[in-house]
Amino acid sequence: MAETTGEGAKGGPYFHKEKIKYSPEEEAKLERQHFWRIIDAFRFYRVHVEEQVKRAERQFLSLPKRHQNMLPNVLSNLARISKCADHNQEVLQAIIHNSLHMFENIEYGEREDPRKARPSTTFDMDKLKSTIKQFVRDWSDVGRAERDSCYQPIIQEIQRLFPSDQYDVSKVSVLVPGAGLGRLAWEIARLGYTCQGNEWSFFMLFSSNFVLNRCENVNSLTLYPWIHQFSNNKKSTDQTRPITFPDINPQSLPLTSDFSMVAGDFVEVYSDPDSWDCVATCFFIDTAHNVIEYVETIWKILKPGGVWINLGPLLYHFENMANELSVELSYEDIRTAIVNFGFHIEMEKESVQTTYTENNHSMLRYVYDCVFFVARKPADLYFNGQEEEEDDQLQSFPSAAKSPRREGIDSLT
């Protein structure tokens, strides 16, 4: 698949990797190493799964012959898993082929033996397998129910707070940190709002770049996301059942849409005060080392009168991870901090049940009991000694900020 250039709606790029500041040479070197480490994980996938399959074969063949004879389908199922892994690897190769030059202002050099599969850590392989399941959640028919339970409440609140009959929604700016594969941000942009997704993970960035910019034909691609699950299968065929994606053409946004994706750490990329009408976070705030830093950043970047919409649990990503800061707070403590910053909580539900990349055929299924709230930054605030009064007219709500990361940019997408 050849690398091509392209643009998002309104001529803007879907992706732009912002260099916040000039980095020391060592920091650039570390980022380059990180980039290629993730590329290596994509390339190592087939070898990793094949190791799992070979192990399962050895375990089975160690059984007494009379027991093996009672299980005539086990080896053929393992062979199917290997073929499914081969197919997944083809999709992963297409993803990284379109990722090597995806950032317009950063290049990561070239590698010797670019197709060589270098060994990856268990941690990176688990991240990759989780990313494969993100295609189910965000871009397949199978994930529709999950999207309806997670994304629709947020979208409905945006529409309630910024109704199209009272606002020029193209001037309402919505930021979606932790955008993953981009479906929530894409859906918001499809409704006419100016929407920007932000993502830090290269696993997610490579995959979202592929689905948003290289996939046009509906349900034209196939993945086998459950082949890595060797436990809690009711049927052997459940492990090898496919999903197709994308369930909708990601490039079908109206020409007037204003949609973009920005790569980088949320608190580093977004530092301009009073820039956004709405920040929408879904399964995001528990990705923080220090969740209060997230709250502080959201408070800073929201315009006076702007709103923060949040839905998600508190499964802290860095908990028990060596050499990583992680402060695990209860929702009660976070809520106290939100109020102490000055937010007014206008709507709050402490029990919204939903799932995350669920295998709906599995014998083990997790349900998250999420919090869902809308918090507003008051319109009456003092800046530089001057008070800004809230305008009673809805139509004069502050217009959407144009992110400086998008203006005047021609980018590879």
Side-chain angles (χ1 to χ4, degrees):
M1 302 173 71
E3 182 71 25
T4 60
T5 60
E7 295 183 340
K10 273 194 175 177
Y14 278 165
F15 285 84
H16 172 58
K17 178 142 188 172
E18 177 68 4
K19 293 275 286 184
I20 301 303
K21 57 186 177 182
Y22 291 104
S23 303
E25 186 176 288
E26 184 62 23
E27 185 173 336
K29 178 182 177 181
L30 289 173
E31 183 172 359
R32 186 164 57 251
Q33 290 173 346
H34 178 64
F35 175 90
W36 286 109
R37 196 189 89 207
I38 307 309
I39 294 290
D40 287 342
F42 276 75
R43 289 173 173 160
F44 189 67
Y45 170 82
R46 180 193 282 111
V47 176
H48 171 76
V49 177
E50 194 59 32
E51 288 174 352
Q52 290 183 296
V53 171
K54 292 299 184 185
R55 177 186 178 277
E57 287 179 350
R58 290 194 302 269
Q59 299 281 5
F60 176 75
L61 293 174
S62 72
L63 298 179
K65 201 68 175 177
R66 66 184 184 279
H67 291 175
Q68 294 182 39
N69 293 336
M70 294 177 184
L71 301 166
N73 299 320
V74 170
L75 291 178
S76 61
N77 184 63
L78 292 174
R80 283 198 302 273
I81 291 172
S82 291
K83 290 183 179 179
C84 292
D86 290 344
H87 181 87
N88 283 356
Q89 185 66 68
E90 292 178 6
V91 177
L92 296 178
Q93 285 296 136
I95 290 172
I96 58 174
H97 176 80
N98 286 282
S99 301
L100 296 178
H101 306 287
M102 64 180 281
F103 301 119
E104 64 178 25
N105 56 349
I106 295 181
E107 285 290 338
Y108 292 98
E110 300 294 337
R111 291 288 290 271
E112 295 181 3
D113 301 323
R115 289 192 166 272
K116 181 180 178 181
R118 293 171 173 82
S120 292
T121 64
T122 299
F123 178 84
D124 283 342
M125 297 317 301
D126 286 344
K127 287 286 187 183
L128 179 57
K129 289 182 282 190
S130 176
T131 302
I132 291 172
K133 291 189 287 187
Q134 289 287 336
F135 282 92
V136 184
R137 174 179 171 87
D138 265 19
W139 295 101
S140 80
D141 287 325
V142 176
R144 183 184 304 276
E146 193 166 287
R147 292 195 299 274
D148 286 346
S149 65
C150 293
Y151 297 167
Q152 278 304 311
I154 293 173
I155 292 169
Q156 288 167 3
E157 280 301 307
I158 292 173
Q159 291 180 298
R160 181 183 69 84
L161 293 163
F162 306 100
S164 59
D165 60 343
Q166 299 178 33
Y167 287 83
D168 179 353
V169 296
S170 68
K171 292 183 170 61
V172 175
S173 57
V174 182
L175 174 64
V176 181
L181 298 198
R183 184 62 178 263
L184 174 59
W186 186 90
E187 291 286 356
I188 293 169
R190 185 161 71 140
L191 293 172
Y193 299 92
T194 294
C195 192
Q196 185 170 96
N198 164 239
E199 182 55 59
W200 176 84
S201 164
F202 276 134
F203 289 102
M204 297 291 189
L205 289 165
F206 295 165
S207 301
S208 57
N209 174 57
F210 178 73
V211 73
L212 290 170
N213 293 312
R214 296 294 181 263
C215 297
E216 297 183 19
N217 298 323
V218 172
N219 290 329
S220 59
L221 295 168
T222 301
L223 280 169
Y224 298 89
W226 316 118
I227 60 173
H228 325 105
Q229 179 178 320
F230 284 82
S231 298
N232 290 307
N233 293 306
K234 289 183 180 178
K235 298 178 180 179
S236 298
T237 53
D238 289 343
Q239 194 174 3
T240 54
R241 76 186 192 280
I243 64 102
T244 56
F245 74 97
D247 65 314
I248 190 171
N249 179 4
Q251 301 194 33
S252 64
L253 288 177
L255 293 176
T256 56
S257 296
D258 194 340
F259 170 52
S260 61
M261 292 282 284
V262 168
D265 182 272
F266 169 60
V267 297
E268 293 180 2
V269 173
Y270 297 95
S271 57
D272 294 341
D274 311 328
S275 301
W276 298 90
D277 297 304
C278 177
V279 175
T281 53
C282 184
F283 278 71
F284 172 69
I285 64 173
D286 54 3
T287 66
H289 293 275
N290 170 13
V291 66
I292 305 306
E293 188 176 29
Y294 278 10
V295 178
E296 184 176 48
T297 299
I298 293 169
W299 170 265
K300 178 181 180 180
I301 67 177
L302 277 175
K303 297 176 183 179
V307 293
W308 173 21
I309 304 171
N310 175 75
L311 188 151
L314 293 172
L315 181 64
Y316 289 103
H317 285 210
F318 296 100
E319 183 180 2
N320 300 322
M321 193 175 293
N323 303 316
E324 293 285 359
L325 170 69
S326 181
V327 181
E328 296 89 28
L329 302 177
S330 68
Y331 174 62
E332 178 184 35
D333 289 336
I334 296 171
R335 189 188 191 282
T336 298
I338 291 171
V339 172
N340 285 340
F341 267 103
F343 281 106
H344 294 170
I345 297 180
E346 297 185 345
M347 186 280 291
E348 183 177 35
K349 297 179 181 178
E350 292 193 13
S351 182
V352 175
Q353 294 192 343
T354 185
T355 58
Y356 191 87
T357 63
E358 180 188 50
N359 178 355
N360 59 8
H361 288 203
S362 175
M363 298 169 71
L364 176 63
R365 299 163 72 177
Y366 292 99
V367 175
Y368 291 94
D369 200 28
C370 299
V371 295
F372 179 39
F373 64 77
V374 174
R376 187 180 297 274
K377 181 176 179 178
D380 287 349
L381 289 174
Y382 286 88
F383 295 101
N384 299 321
Q386 293 184 344
E387 185 177 13
E388 294 190 0
E389 297 292 335
E390 180 179 12
D391 195 320
D392 291 331
Q393 300 296 319
L394 288 174
Q395 288 83 350
S396 63
F397 191 88
S399 60
K402 276 284 187 180
S403 168
R405 288 163 291 280
R406 298 194 69 252
E407 293 180 340
I409 295 167
D410 293 317
S411 172
L412 285 177
T413 59

